[in-house]
Amino acid sequence: MLLFPWQLASAYLLDLVLGDPQRMPHPVRWIGRLISWTESIFLDTSASASQQRLAGFAFWMVVIGGVVSGTLFVAGLSSHVYPLLGNLIIIWLGYCILATRSLHRESNRVIRALSSGRIDLARRRLAGIVSRDTAQLDEKGIIRAVIETVSENISDGIVAPLFYLSIGGLIGGMTYKSVNTMDSMVGYMNERYRYFGWFAAKADDVANWVPSRLSGLLIIAGAALLKMDWRRAWQAMRRDAGNMKSPNAGFPEAATAGALGVQLGGTNWYFGRPEDKPTLGIPLKEMNFQTYSAMIRLMYVSSFLAFLFALVGRYLLCWRFQ
């Protein structure tokens, strides 16, 4: 099963302590390179829509097959040759697909620049973690964007990887990370990827259906533990989450908006064009640096709750199939 509970706990602890390993070999970057290489083989923008959809499905299957095969080979071979090395590689792979500390670190780089009055630097740093246009955002717009991306990535970067590590072991976690990375690279409704990336986008929606809703519930539970307004968080999630175009993103964002007493969503700019998104939550408070600090506390508590659920689930599965 390639992942014991103690290995999962070790991977989670490493993520909290070290964050994203910037100067080390990184499997997610390798997955990105595999996606780019495979795309160059399968994508033909001059083909018909149906041909591009079929090519996109084949591309997706090749990437998933490559990641699963590579994970089994590396983890299995290292465990067979030298068990300690195998354990270290399994822990390292699990650690690399978690993002609690990285979410804090990257978002905090934006807030530090903003709080020191360097708004242009804050905009440039924000552009590295969001897909929207950032060049014209004011202070409140930057803070809102940071809150939205952190809340959404509680699901994509923390809860979903832990969920799939729990139910599917290392293969489950690596497969999810491949699905999510393909969506982030080709799952766009633009001229290049509208048809080719359709399957990747839909697969990511399916993969995140349960984790996104679980994320909303964990955020509500975290709000209760932090003595935030968990009832308002629950109401906001029930009322507003389904209004989003995305079938998943609204759940963690709406729960966060309710817990913090702010309103998320509204008009964003993408590739020079405005896009009006539904609003989430009721604007009872101004969004400021204190809102961001509360968001980070909520993120860490939600992350730890997700880890506890994943650890218990992994233990029960290992016990059941031992």
Side-chain angles (χ1 to χ4, degrees):
M1 300 178 77
L2 292 180
L3 190 71
F4 291 105
W6 70 269
Q7 293 168 329
L8 175 60
S10 299
Y12 182 77
L13 181 61
L14 277 177
D15 176 54
L16 289 184
V17 173
L18 300 178
D20 195 32
Q22 299 290 334
R23 298 182 181 179
M24 294 173 59
H26 199 308
V28 178
R29 287 194 282 272
W30 296 344
I31 291 171
R33 293 190 187 104
L34 174 62
I35 290 169
S36 296
W37 177 75
T38 310
E39 176 193 331
S40 69
I41 295 173
F42 283 93
L43 176 58
D44 179 5
T45 55
S46 65
S48 67
S50 59
Q51 289 173 328
Q52 288 188 54
R53 287 178 188 268
L54 183 60
F57 172 73
F59 149 82
W60 189 91
M61 292 295 294
V62 168
V63 171
I64 293 297
V67 171
V68 170
S69 300
T71 302
L72 284 171
F73 177 78
V74 171
L77 179 63
S78 59
S79 297
H80 178 74
V81 171
Y82 191 56
L84 177 59
L85 177 62
N87 286 326
L88 291 175
I89 286 178
I90 289 169
I91 291 169
W92 167 64
L93 289 172
Y95 144 60
C96 286
I97 64 176
L98 299 173
T100 302
R101 179 66 182 272
S102 297
L103 268 178
H104 182 193
R105 183 167 60 199
E106 295 303 315
S107 63
N108 193 48
R109 291 179 70 245
V110 178
I111 297 300
R112 284 203 316 270
L114 188 62
S115 64
S116 64
R118 295 177 293 175
I119 191 167
D120 288 335
L121 177 60
R123 289 167 177 157
R124 290 196 299 272
R125 288 179 173 177
L126 178 63
I129 61 174
V130 300
S131 58
R132 72 190 67 178
D133 297 342
T134 64
Q136 302 302 320
L137 291 179
D138 59 10
E139 179 177 299
K140 290 183 180 179
I142 292 172
I143 294 174
R144 174 169 72 87
V146 169
I147 299 296
E148 288 173 353
T149 195
V150 171
S151 61
E152 182 177 357
N153 279 287
I154 288 176
S155 178
D156 291 359
I158 303 172
V159 176
L162 284 169
F163 175 78
Y164 285 104
L165 285 169
S166 177
I167 66 172
L170 185 60
I171 298 301
M174 292 296 290
T175 300
Y176 169 76
K177 204 63 182 178
S178 304
V179 170
N180 190 240
T181 305
M182 278 190 280
D183 177 61
S184 69
M185 293 180 67
V186 306
Y188 297 103
M189 290 295 292
N190 57 24
E191 185 177 351
R192 179 177 179 85
Y193 294 121
R194 180 180 301 274
Y195 304 111
F196 182 79
W198 177 86
F199 187 84
K202 292 302 180 183
D204 185 72
D205 287 343
V206 172
N208 280 296
W209 197 92
V210 171
S212 66
R213 286 149 180 81
L214 179 59
S215 297
L217 295 175
L218 291 172
I219 289 168
I220 293 167
L225 291 174
L226 290 170
K227 300 188 183 304
M228 298 178 180
D229 196 333
W230 67 269
R231 292 182 179 85
R232 189 170 60 222
W234 169 252
Q235 292 167 356
M237 188 176 76
R238 291 191 62 192
R239 181 186 64 240
D240 299 334
N243 296 333
M244 294 284 284
K245 183 178 180 180
S246 165
N248 299 317
F251 288 88
E253 287 191 45
T256 296
L260 299 178
V262 299
Q263 187 173 79
L264 302 178
T267 302
N268 296 324
W269 286 76
Y270 298 90
F271 308 106
R273 297 180 180 180
E275 181 176 329
D276 293 324
K277 294 189 175 183
T279 55
L280 307 169
I282 300 172
L284 301 176
K285 301 177 183 178
E286 287 286 329
M287 262 185 282
N288 50 37
F289 297 120
Q290 287 72 35
T291 309
Y292 170 74
S293 297
M295 172 78 263
I296 293 302
R297 293 196 300 273
L298 185 58
M299 180 199 72
Y300 273 110
V301 172
S302 303
S303 172
F304 185 68
L305 291 174
F307 163 66
L308 290 180
F309 276 106
L311 189 65
V312 171
R314 195 68 200 149
Y315 173 81
L316 293 174
L317 283 172
C318 287
W319 173 77
R320 173 66 177 80
F321 292 105
Q322 67 180 359

